[in-house]
Amino acid sequence: MKGMTEEQALKYLQDTLFVVGGKWKLPILRAIHSGNYRFRDIQRSMPLITTRVLSKELKHLEENKLVIRTVYQSPLAVEYKVSHYMHSLLPVIKEMILWGKNHRKKISEE
């Protein structure tokens, strides 16, 4: 990339993959962005995820400023919302979805 060394570019790519990589992080962000704000709603929108994994991934997303966790006292409730910062990822996510769609077509060609 222009203006940076290959070593820097690799480091930034690894940083990105650390934050959003893995099986569940992007689907969790998508679920919250789609209106599933409570833990159980997020979990129901992804039937194969375990409670432990969802909890761990939500904490990781919160630590990386992509999700905001809000605790309400009366009645006791916890909600998750995507942060304003997460919106900077939307173009990347959309491109990844498009790439995945095209990739499926490519590999199904004979």
Side-chain angles (χ1 to χ4, degrees):
M1 297 202 80
K2 201 171 191 174
M4 70 178 74
T5 67
E6 283 295 316
E7 187 176 314
Q8 288 171 321
L10 178 60
K11 182 185 180 334
Y12 298 144
L13 180 58
Q14 289 171 327
D15 289 347
T16 303
L17 290 174
F18 176 76
V19 174
V20 296
K23 182 177 181 178
W24 295 111
K25 289 178 185 152
L26 289 175
I28 290 168
L29 288 171
R30 188 166 188 265
I32 296 170
H33 189 260
S34 296
N36 297 298
Y37 303 128
R38 297 197 176 188
F39 188 91
R40 292 287 175 222
D41 295 334
I42 298 166
Q43 191 172 29
R44 278 188 212 108
S45 73
M46 294 179 291
L48 299 177
I49 195 169
T50 66
T51 300
R52 181 175 110 9
V53 170
L54 178 56
S55 178
K56 182 181 132 230
E57 297 290 40
L58 283 167
K59 285 177 187 168
H60 186 262
L61 291 168
E62 185 181 8
E63 288 168 359
N64 284 283
K65 312 282 189 223
L66 298 176
V67 167
I68 298 168
R69 180 178 183 262
T70 306
V71 179
Y72 299 99
Q73 295 302 321
S74 184
L76 185 59
V78 177
E79 285 190 350
Y80 297 90
K81 301 263 177 132
V82 294
S83 68
H84 184 69
Y85 178 55
M86 195 291 291
H87 289 277
S88 66
L89 262 179
L90 287 177
V92 175
I93 294 169
K94 287 177 183 176
E95 283 299 316
M96 290 174 72
I97 292 168
L98 181 59
W99 188 90
K101 177 184 173 188
N102 292 332
H103 178 66
R104 282 187 182 262
K105 283 184 199 173
K106 185 70 171 175
I107 62 173
S108 66
E109 291 174 357
E110 293 183 38

